[in-house]
Amino acid sequence: MTNEEILAGIEKLFPGAVVEVLQSLDFTIVLKADRLLEVATYLRDEIGLDYLISVTGVDRGDEFEVIYHLGTMNDRAGYLVLKVHVPRQSAEVPSVTPLWRGAEFQEDEVYDLMGIRFTGHPDLRRIMMWEGYEGHPLRKDFRPAYPIETEELVASSYAESENP
């Protein structure tokens, strides 16, 4: 099945779910966040995209983007990219963990580093930063609680290299 046929099926079965289609390096379908689960279920069950390759988040400044790369474990299809955009103030996306168990860890990582919450996630938690850590380090507006001055960092690195 071609990407265009998949898109036509989504548009027919889920009217209004597609926000935009991008065709640069990858065929990408941008969805409304509240339609993600139903479209993803269709892609898994009817199209055969049974493998979640990756989930990641991007801070676009005024909003966040959650990106899903979907593939298949057999050789009859390639892969497809889904994106959803969410506002910074209410950064929530439905969890795809019920569809692809492998999403659990990846959604934890996006939550920890970007602060995007995944509703319906079985155990959303920080996995890189410790519990109680303030902020999410990959956000563009992130400022560490204890900033290190660049000059101090350079001076200490230089001193360590001089005295091994």
Side-chain angles (χ1 to χ4, degrees):
M1 183 173 275
T2 68
N3 290 329
E4 289 73 19
E5 291 170 328
I6 293 171
L7 175 63
I10 292 170
E11 289 176 327
K12 179 181 178 187
L13 294 170
F14 311 100
V18 176
V19 174
E20 183 179 10
V21 177
L22 307 170
Q23 294 186 25
S24 55
L25 295 176
D26 300 313
F27 187 81
T28 303
I29 300 172
V30 182
L31 298 171
K32 292 182 178 177
D34 63 347
R35 306 295 298 273
L36 173 64
L37 275 182
E38 61 187 337
V39 173
T41 301
Y42 166 75
L43 292 171
R44 184 195 66 182
D45 296 348
E46 302 301 323
I47 304 302
L49 296 175
D50 56 358
Y51 178 55
L52 177 71
I53 299 166
S54 68
V55 178
T56 192
V58 177
D59 185 345
R60 295 287 182 206
D62 57 337
E63 66 183 3
F64 292 116
E65 187 174 78
V66 183
I67 305 165
Y68 303 85
H69 287 87
L70 306 177
T72 179
M73 295 301 287
N74 67 41
D75 62 355
R76 68 182 168 92
Y79 72 97
L80 181 72
V81 179
L82 295 181
K83 291 184 180 183
V84 295
H85 296 160
V86 293
R88 294 182 76 81
Q89 303 78 8
S90 57
E92 285 191 356
V93 177
S95 174
V96 295
T97 300
L99 300 174
W100 296 286
R101 186 71 177 162
E104 185 173 353
F105 181 79
Q106 296 178 65
E107 289 177 351
D108 282 338
E109 181 180 24
V110 173
Y111 163 69
D112 191 3
L113 299 176
M114 300 292 296
I116 300 169
R117 299 193 62 78
F118 292 88
T119 56
H121 188 283
D123 186 23
L124 194 61
R125 66 169 81 193
R126 297 198 94 135
I127 58 171
M128 298 198 173
M129 309 308 290
W130 55 93
E131 288 299 328
Y133 185 84
E134 290 186 34
H136 303 280
L138 291 185
R139 284 186 174 206
K140 288 184 177 182
D141 60 356
F142 174 73
R143 299 292 177 262
Y146 304 103
I148 298 173
E149 295 298 326
T150 305
E151 293 158 5
E152 291 175 28
L153 185 61
V154 170
S156 67
S157 296
Y158 179 74
E160 288 174 15
S161 68
E162 292 293 312
N163 301 314

